[in-house]
Amino acid sequence: MTIKPAEAATRLGSACLPALAARGIPVPTYPRQGAPGVVHLGLGAFHRAHQALVFDTLLQRGDTRWGVLGVAMRSTQLADALTEQGGLYAVQVASRAGSQWQVGGAIWQTAVASREPAQVVQAIAAPSTRWLTLTVTEKGYGPELGRLIAQGLAARHAAGLPGLTMASCDNLAHNGRQLQALCVNAARPRSPALADWVERSCAFPNSMVDRIVPAATPQRLAAAAQALGVADQAALGTEAFWEWVIERRFADPGDADVLAAAGVTVVDDVAPFEDAKLRLLNGSHTAMACLGAVAGWPVIGECITQPAVRSFIHGLMTHEVGPQLSRPDWAGYREALLARFANPALQHSVHQIATDSSQKIPQRWPPSVLGALSAGLPVDRLAFAAAAWMRYVRGCDEQGHAYAMNDPMAGELQALAQTHAGDAAASVQALGTLRVIWGEALPDNTRWLALVARQLDRIERLGVLAALTQLQAELDDA
């Protein structure tokens, strides 16, 4: 969704680029015509602040194969805004040291899958297309997506064209294998030969992508208009840090060196990086989102500046989650995360991060809880995070202000939380035994449930901040 800023004199477009370059703003200097080499499904802020900027770097180096057709799955507003701007958009890259605007130009065309499915199918089947990338969902891939991709691959196969590198950039475990299964299963009913070709000729690398990209706000769009002197309905902000780790599995093996030269980490096994991101970054983010929503801290930067919260998150990563990980530099990654969370320029909303928490938690917390229990590590902070989520789903903060929950289970969760409000043990029995969230083992683990109930009772009696302080004192004395 785009948010219209105050009117500026003109709209961002190709004609503006020389003036922007003269002001020291990096802009695309490469030709932006021709057929794209990449079809990207899931045209949103994250892709435009991450993979599209990697492709922009490659294009700036003269490699014309990385222009993008950006496909929005259903929403038309962003795709149409980008079309009006010739695919150009501004990105504010910010760190504690300052910020810099740049204009991304890798998106050459846009489409909307629900409105122009034939265009998407034709693009997948185009001779120029080499890659298909996705940032569609953290909820898992559905059959409708598989059918769309299979239709394009069928046309490609029928034309005798080579296979594609098909890179999922979604926050899903083993995302390349999940995408491969989706595409092969969608292709098989059309033709066993097609399914065999997809499996044999297309490459499905696992990948892990990492960059914090807050949702667009009117303030960000207004800041873009002021910095650029033109209106940009697709402007966004992000942090300086980015990471893309991808498995060495490409339809064109030469792409490995090309991507590595642009800063992408190409490895034989993505799993250690994927696991660290899900458990350290995403797991900590969800914990802070729940704490912030309940305490009334609106953004992550405000959460992490609370000494009790910073100590809690540092301890969560250091003592309960990190020791389980196989990423060799996890301690350095932890320190980078703490600095990133404190970036004052991001203004990353806790309610945005808490969106769909019932579908994110299964990947982010239970594996760490089970691993810690198995290894004899503490789980007190993980139990506190689980308790904070159970308090969060009640739908009101400690000041009594109601907030909307954006979650497919919102109605059921809120009803359970409100029915048992004030009774920690009953709340945990109702919310902590939902196997769709906590898996098969934790709902039957009485020790774990008792720990969560103790932390929820503490939050109910003392409030989030005092409960955190008491928990830390308890752990320091242990």
Side-chain angles (χ1 to χ4, degrees), residues 371-444:
L373 290 171
S374 175
L377 297 169
V379 291
D380 303 85
R381 296 172 186 87
L382 286 161
F384 194 97
W389 174 77
M390 293 179 193
R391 173 60 181 83
Y392 158 75
V393 298
R394 196 178 303 170
C396 66
D397 64 21
E398 291 175 347
Q399 292 74 43
H401 302 135
Y403 48 76
M405 280 178 56
N406 187 354
D407 191 293
M409 294 181 65
E412 176 185 351
L413 295 172
Q414 200 165 60
L416 289 171
Q418 291 175 352
T419 297
H420 301 289
D423 186 337
S427 294
V428 173
Q429 193 59 39
L431 293 163
T433 57
L434 295 170
R435 296 183 191 276
V436 68
I437 297 174
W438 301 104
E440 291 302 315
L442 287 179
D444 297 326

Side-chain angles (χ1 to χ4, degrees), residues 79 218 222 279 326 330 350:
R279 299 205 205 184
S326 55
W330 73 261
V350 296

Side-chain angles (χ1 to χ4, degrees), residues 470-478:
Q470 189 179 87
L471 172 66
Q472 187 61 46
E474 190 177 273
L475 293 171
D476 288 343
D477 290 341

